[in-house]
């Protein structure tokens, strides 16, 4: 799944590149876009969804205001209650150069009862079908 990102002037720090903390915001935007595409209307987000349990990021090269960025997102593992998501920010105006990569673990969650839940079968199937994973 790919999500183009618009760099805002306030994303730039004193070194004139995108501040490292902004990468997390970009990954959040792409995560929501992924869910909107893959899970569409299967999730009632006011009742249940995902919570971010773990996130780690590696920086490779800086990105600047005039770069054109795209975030590529995929789910690499589907567990009983969680999913593992892998994302990359790439400069699409510079031979698809890797800017940073991120791996996240998200837990399916009942927002009303504040409990983790088994990954609903409809969500699991939608992800497995989209990613061509083994169920």
């Amino acid at each position: 799944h790919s999500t183009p990102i618009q760099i805002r002037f306030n994303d730039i720090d004193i070194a004139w590149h995108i501040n490292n903390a902004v990468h997390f915001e970009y990954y959040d935007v792409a995560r929501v876009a992924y869910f909107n595409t893959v899970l569409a209307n299967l999730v009632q987000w006011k009742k249940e969804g995902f919570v971010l349990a773990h996130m780690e990021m590696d920086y490779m090269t800086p990105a600047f205001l005039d770069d054109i960025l795209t975030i590529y997102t995929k789910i690499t593992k589907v567990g009983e209650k969680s999913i593992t998501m892998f994302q990359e920010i790439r400069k699409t105006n510079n031979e698809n150069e890797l800017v940073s990569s991120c791996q996240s673990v998200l837990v399916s969650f009942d927002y009303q009862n504040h409990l983790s839940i088994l990954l609903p079968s409809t969500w699991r199937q939608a992800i497995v079908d989209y990613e061509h994973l083994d169920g």
Side-chain angles (χ1 to χ4, degrees), residues 9-23:
F9 186 74
N10 64 330
D11 295 343
I12 307 302
D13 63 19
I14 196 165
W16 290 99
H17 58 70
I18 296 169
N19 184 274
N20 60 337
V22 174
H23 289 242

Side-chain angles (χ1 to χ4, degrees), residues 88-132:
E88 293 180 333
I89 299 176
R90 291 192 172 268
K91 294 181 186 182
T92 51
N93 63 319
N94 190 8
E95 298 182 12
N96 225 22
E97 183 178 14
L98 182 60
V99 174
S100 68
S101 63
C102 174
Q103 184 166 295
S104 307
V105 175
L106 296 106
V107 176
S108 47
F109 201 77
D110 178 331
Y111 298 137
Q112 295 177 332
N113 294 307
H114 306 283
L115 299 169
S116 63
I117 58 174
L118 291 174
L119 189 67
S121 60
T122 55
W123 302 5
R124 175 184 301 281
Q125 194 60 53
I127 293 166
V128 166
D129 290 348
Y130 186 84
E131 297 291 355
H132 308 290

